Structures are given as structure tokens and as C-alpha cells.
């Protein structure tokens, strides 16, 4: 296990993925911009590197040698992001975003609505690069595994027809988070924001732990931490054992009088996000409040348990990605201790990039026939 | 502390109160029926006992001596119940029910809809007793404290006009549960079904603990137990530490494949009830499954903590009421141990009756100017 490098190593831009609700979201209202997640380590892809990184320069025109392009998409609760990069340089992408999330119902993620949002954004990016035909496209989406049947049925033909793209994969956002963090190397990635999921692979198959949502799991994620903090605040309000006066004071600052807290939480459609909004208060109290510190120790234990459940038995790398890990030492210190104890053979590695970067990494692998991450009918569907 | 008397002492008919969702609900489609919650101990009311109990006989005609009548109402998530009794004999009531719950929105419980449901039921009961003018009426309702502003503004005048009733109280369902269980004696009552709330009084003021709902508390209630059980099932499914194969098998029997559990829970409007539906499975596993047993021990500790937070410092009686306590020894054994440890001065008492009975007890107290339970603008509003 590599020594803990502190919170900075895990800081990265917020993505729109469902597990990532804690990060501050920077919106870019118009036009493409340089994708802001530089790779901290070159992904270990198998295709031949076809060009040099060129810092902030515009993308190479499509008619130049080596101008083979891939598209990546990240779809989640806070909107849709699309990125275009040279296949040889997924980290050197331009990207654009829409704050409109793709419509999702019990019937699934709406493929027509995704195309309606995605196609103009993709065409705008392609136009900026001289209208190349993209070699590969990867869509990562929150809910892809369970709500992606419509996407799997309709997107391959529609994207081939509309963009001429021949190679395609549809990935769960946990898979794009994995690829963004560790590329195609074996190991485990914990993606945490409002929720918490761990995904691991030995490159033979995927293992998943948690990510079951705020009522069935997501143990140690932002909603879990915030909920535990608010419950401790209400304990103090009632005079029950185990309450925290510090958390009660914070809860009243954020939500108003404690007696009216139910009315502030239950009517909201985004209850998990409302709970997660209190997680930073728990972290702020932890240095001086034993109840808050204990909540974060429990969260760290849960997160490490999920990582341990999915990490290959012979070790591999473990990376943490998502807004939760911006919380700093009150969470990361106990988490690094738990990871060292529960995963003695694993190497803790900074995440290279975010899920949008991961979509590009997978697309670049498809472009070069170098996909090593395991295909899976729900998690990583390659038609 | 009186020795534990086993689950039978706490068994009582399910009420429609919000905390009471676990009990089997017996519906009576038409007409009044003998109210099925006989008092196990005569409530210590201050008015003069004006007649003898007469078993299953019809109520005394209003023109006979002593024929002074009171009405009680219990409104909750599964409908509305109305009972009529002689003021001197709240346990000898006739009652009727509607399966339609009173409409409730973020703006509160709808007073017009409550009257629309309540008045025909009350008139039907009064007609059966020879159309007396009731002396007092008490409405107990789930949500009365926080969502009862409309009821407090409109019901007193409307009920006086429509039924001629002069004495009225509007009570939180926790207060009617208290009065149903302990009458007007000091102590603490834990009411638990899907949720969990404890209410205590020294007859000077009320103390409340928990009852904050499934995201902020209700610790140890049915939804809490079911949620902990399902989380342990998903841990086993993932291969995380702390999972229970027995609970996983039960969860799949009840809800289908574990991987599809989120789709069975999150789309439901009654998520707390869906979680609570798994609580009996946790109890069934507890004798042979250490994880399930540990969940119920934790639940027992939480319930006792709430009782301890509200019980008068010098002791008093403690009663348990609501469907949760039909769960039997796996919950009651650790709960009795916790109550003995946390409330050494309190006396564990079987609940005399349910919240509908409690509404009649309070109405009878109003009828005789003998209300001893503390008035409170939200919990026990007497205009």
C-alpha cells in the first residue's frame, strides 16, 4: 500500500455521475472548452501512440495524419457531458455540457431524449475539429446497468446512422469511473459522492459492491454520512444518548429549527442530495466532535469493505474518485487506515481522471482494438 | 420494573396511526361494530363512573340516565376510524372505519376532506345510540403536530355546528397512543409500527423523542429494522463483511432477485412501509442468524433510549403500543433487558388500549372536566 498522499491527490473536477453529487459543479454555458481533467498518469492503453500532447492547442485537423477521433459521453443526474479527443490522447479532449439530465422513468433512460441532447453537442465538437467521422464512441450513464435496455436497443444503430461511428460501447457510470481512474489496469475503484459504489476487475470479469442507493446501501457515501449526522443532531435535540450538540447547531444553521427538519427533507424529490448536503458539516465537526468523528470512521470502514469485496485477490491498484473524497483528512485519514488494514496487498493510486475521461479511454481502446476491460451485457455493453 | 410479561401483553388491534403499519389490519366494510380494544386496566379518570360495563350489549339509549356520549377519531395513513362510547365507559365503544385516508399535502391535513369522511361515520354511530348530542369529541391524527394547522383553524367551529359537540381536542397520534396505553397517568409510551416515537409526561408537560421519519430517525421501528435487514442482505450479495446469507435468502423470497431490489423499493410511494415489510423476516431469522439478532438488539437499544429520554426522572409507567411489538421474543427479550437497564425506576405496564381508545379516554376526561394530560398547542390542542 502506497502511503496516503492526502486529499489533494484525489481532488478532481466534479462529474455529472450519480455518485458524484458532492463536488462543486462548474457550468460552462456555451461552446466547447478544454476538458479540465488532465491525466495524472498516462493510461496504459495498447494502441500505438500516434501523436504528441500539445498542451492547450486546438485539436489536430481531421485530415492531418493521426487525426483519428473518439467521442465520450457522461450522463447523470445533473446533465450530460460530451468530449472529443484524439484516440491517441484521451486526456487532451475538448468537451461541452448540457445541464439538462436525460429523462429517466421506471421504464428506463429515454434513448430518444439522450439522442436529442447528445447529437447537437457531438456535432458541435466534431465541427470544431473539421468534421471528422469519429472512430469510436462510448456512452457512460448513471443507471445504465438497470435502466439501460432502451439505450442498448436503440443507440448503436442511431449513432451509426447519425454520426457514422462504427465502434460503440454503452457503460455503467461505475465502469467509466473505473476507466477514468485506473485505465485498463486491474484493481478496484471506489466512486463516491451522494452515493457510493465500488467496482473491481481482474480483467476477467467485473465485481461490484454496493451502489444500492440510500435506502439499501451506499454505505459511507455522502447521503449516508449526512443522514447519520442529521440523526445524531435529532438525538441531541431529543436528549437521547449518542446525540451531538455540535451537529445539532450545524443542522439548525443549514436547515432551520430542528423540529421542522422533517418538512425540509421529506417533501424534496432529491432527498439523497438533501442528506448529502449535510456531509461537509459532519466533516467540519469531526476534529472536535467525537460523534461526527465516529460517523466518518464508520463511513471509512464501509467504503473499505466495499473496496475489499471487489479488489482482485492478488491485489492490484485501488483508486478513489468522486466528490466525496474532496472532504479531506477527517474522512481520508481513517479511510487510508482502513484500506491499509483491509487491503494489505493493494496499492493506493491517485485517480487519473473522471468518468468522462474514462469514456474516452474506453473509446480509444475500442478504436485500436485494444479493449482489455471485460465486456458485460449490462456494465460494459459492446454490441 | 415489573418483570417482562412476553409479547402477548402488548398484542392489540392494529390502529391506522402512522406508526402502526406493521399490524394486520382487519377491515370492517359496513356498519358499526363493537370496538375490539377492551381496556385491560380501568383508566384512572377523575369523572364519576356512571354505569356498569355490559359486555357486548348495545349502548344505552341517550334518554336513559347516564347516557352521556363521547366520540373519538383516529386518522392515519391507512384510513379513519371513529368510535362512540359512553363517557363513563370509553372501553365499551362501538366504532366504524373508512379505508380512505384523509388527504394530506405539504400544506397540511385537509380539514374539509376530514369532515367529509368523519361526519357521516359519526352520524351513523350516533343514530345507532338514539341520536344523542355528544358531550366531547377528540380527533387524534398522524401529523397533527406539524400538519394540523388547518384542522386547528377549522374543525372546532365545524364540529360544533355539525354535531353540536361543545368540548373538543385535537391530538397528535402519539398523544392518543399515550392516553390509550396509560390513560392519564405519568410515564412514557413508545408507539412503534413502521415508525417509532416515544412520548412522556409528568403531567406538567410533554416530552417527545424520535418519530422523525425513516430518513432522520424512527430508530428501532419497523422501517429501520427492515432497512437494516435488507442492507445486510445486500452485503451478503456483494460479498462484503457483515452480510447475512439468511437475510439474503429471505429478501429474495419476498422481493425477487437481489440485483433488482432497488427497482422494487425506490419507485414506491410507500417506501417506509416497503422496508417495514421485511422486519418480520429479520425477526424470523434472529433465533439462528447472528446478524439479524444484532439488528434487533440495536433496535431494542434505540427504542429504550427514546423511552429513557422522555420518561419522568422519578419514574412512572412505561408502555409499548403498536404493531411492532407483535414481533415477539426476538425483539421483546432484548427490549425488556434494555428497558430494565436504561429505566431502572420505571414500571413496565401493558398498554390498556390503542390510539382510538386513547381518543375516547381524552374525550371522556374533557366531558367530566377531568383532563390531566398537559395541553399543548400542537400535541394536545384544546381550543
Amino acid at each position: 500500500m502506497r502511503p496516503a498522499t492526502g486529499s489533494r491527490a484525489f481532488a478532481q473536477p466534479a462529474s455529472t455521475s450519480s455518485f458524484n453529487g458532492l463536488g462543486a459543479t462548474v457550468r460552462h454555458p456555451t461552446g466547447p472548452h478544454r476538458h479540465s481533467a488532465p491525466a495524472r498518469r498516462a493510461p496504459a492503453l495498447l494502441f500505438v501512440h500516434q501523436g504528441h500532447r500539445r498542451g492547450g492547442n486546438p485539436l489536430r485537423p481531421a485530415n492531418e495524419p493521426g487525426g483519428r477521433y473518439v467521442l465520450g459521453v457522461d450522463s447523470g443526474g445533473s446533465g450530460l457531458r460530451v468530449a472529443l479527443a484524439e484516440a491517441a490522447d484521451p486526456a487532451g479532449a475538448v468537451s461541452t455540457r448540457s445541464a439538462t439530465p436525460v429523462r429517466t422513468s421506471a421504464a428506463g433512460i429515454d434513448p430518444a431524449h439522450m439522442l436529442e441532447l447528445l447529437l447537437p453537442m457531438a456535432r458541435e465538437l466534431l465541427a470544431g475539429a473539421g468534421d471528422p467521422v469519429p472512430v469510436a464512441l462510448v456512452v457512460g450513464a448513471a443507471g445504465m446497468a438497470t435502466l439501460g435496455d432502451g439505450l442498448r436497443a436503440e443507440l448503436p444503430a442511431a449513432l451509426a446512422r447519425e454520426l457514422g461511428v462504427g465502434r460503440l460501447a454503452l457503460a455503467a457510470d461505475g465502469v467509466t469511473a473505473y476507466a477514468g481512474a485506473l485505465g485498463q489496469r486491474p484493481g478496484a475503484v471506489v466512486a463516491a459522492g451522494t452515493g457510493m459504489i465500488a467496482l473491481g476487475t481482474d480483467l476477467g470479469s467485473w465485481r461490484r459492491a454496493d451502489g444500492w442507493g440510500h435506502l439499501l446501501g451506499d454505505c459511507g457515501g455522502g447521503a449516508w454520512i449526512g443522514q447519520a449526522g442529521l440523526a445524531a443532531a435529532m438525538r441531541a435535540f431529543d436528549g437521547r444518548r449518542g446525540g451531538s450538540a455540535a451537529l445539532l447547531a450545524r443542522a439548525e444553521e443549514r436547515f432551520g429549527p430542528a423540529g421542522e427538519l422533517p418538512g425540509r427533507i421529506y417533501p424534496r424529490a432529491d432527498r439523497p442530495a438533501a442528506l448529502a448536503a449535510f456531509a461537509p458539516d459532519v466533516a467540519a465537526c469531526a476534529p472536535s466532535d467525537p460523534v461526527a468523528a465516529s460517523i466518518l470512521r464508520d463511513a471509512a470502514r464501509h467504503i473499505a469493505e466495499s473496496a475489499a469485496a471487489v479488489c482482485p485477490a492478488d491485489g492490484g491498484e485501488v483508486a478513489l474518485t468522486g466528490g466525496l473524497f474532496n472532504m479531506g483528512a477527517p474522512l481520508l485519514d481513517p479511510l487510508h487506515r482502513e484500506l491499509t488494514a483491509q487491503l494489505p496487498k493493494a496499492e493506493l493510486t491517485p485517480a487519473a481522471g473522471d468518468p468522462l475521461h474514462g469514456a474516452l479511454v474506453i473509446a480509444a481502446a475500442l478504436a485500436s482494438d485494444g479493449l482489455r476491460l471485460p465486456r458485460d451485457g449490462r456494465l460494459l455493453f459492446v454490441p
Side-chain angles (χ1 to χ4, degrees), chain A residues 15 27 31 64 228:
Chain A
S15 91
R27 297 197 187 284
E64 280 188 21

Side-chain angles (χ1 to χ4, degrees), chain A residues 115-363:
Chain A
L115 287 167
E116 184 186 322
L117 294 172
L118 189 167
L119 289 174
M121 294 164 75
R123 289 188 177 120
E124 177 192 14
L125 293 173
L126 290 165
D131 278 321
V133 173
V135 185
L137 183 154
V138 171
V139 177
M144 180 69 85
T146 50
L147 298 169
D149 285 343
L151 299 185
R152 286 183 281 270
E154 300 191 19
L155 253 52
L159 290 169
R161 184 179 66 240
E162 298 292 333
L163 298 176
V165 63
R167 301 179 186 201
L168 180 97
L170 304 179
D173 60 346
V175 167
T176 50
Y178 187 99
L182 288 184
Q184 300 202 91
R185 304 189 303 279
V189 169
V190 176
T194 299
M196 199 286 299
I197 189 170
L199 216 59
T201 184
D202 55 5
L203 304 188
S205 64
W206 291 101
R207 293 185 67 182
R208 166 205 171 143
D210 213 344
W212 301 114
H214 70 297
L215 295 179
L216 299 169
D218 281 5
C219 301
W224 187 97
I225 291 171
Q227 180 172 358
L230 290 172
M234 298 315 288
R235 282 181 171 269
F237 182 67
D238 290 345
R240 280 179 284 153
R241 278 203 315 213
S244 158
L247 288 170
L248 176 58
R250 284 267 180 172
E252 297 205 312
E253 269 172 44
R254 187 176 285 274
F255 294 103
E260 295 164 25
L261 187 56
R264 308 267 173 197
I265 299 288
Y266 293 106
R268 290 179 58 164
D270 61 341
R271 286 178 293 275
L275 297 170
F278 195 61
D281 295 287
V282 178
C285 289
S288 57
D289 183 71
V291 172
S294 159
I295 290 169
L296 294 181
R297 278 197 307 273
D298 288 347
R301 182 169 45 79
H302 288 309
I303 292 168
E305 283 166 355
S306 281
V310 302
C311 198
D314 55 357
E317 295 172 59
V318 174
L320 310 173
T321 182
L324 187 74
F325 302 111
N326 296 332
M327 197 177 268
L331 176 65
L332 293 175
D333 287 354
L335 180 53
H336 291 154
R337 283 196 296 273
E338 286 285 349
L339 289 170
T340 304
Q342 293 191 39
L343 289 138
K345 291 185 187 168
E347 180 191 7
L348 187 58
T349 306
D354 68 4
L356 182 58
H357 173 66
L360 290 169
V361 166
I362 298 170

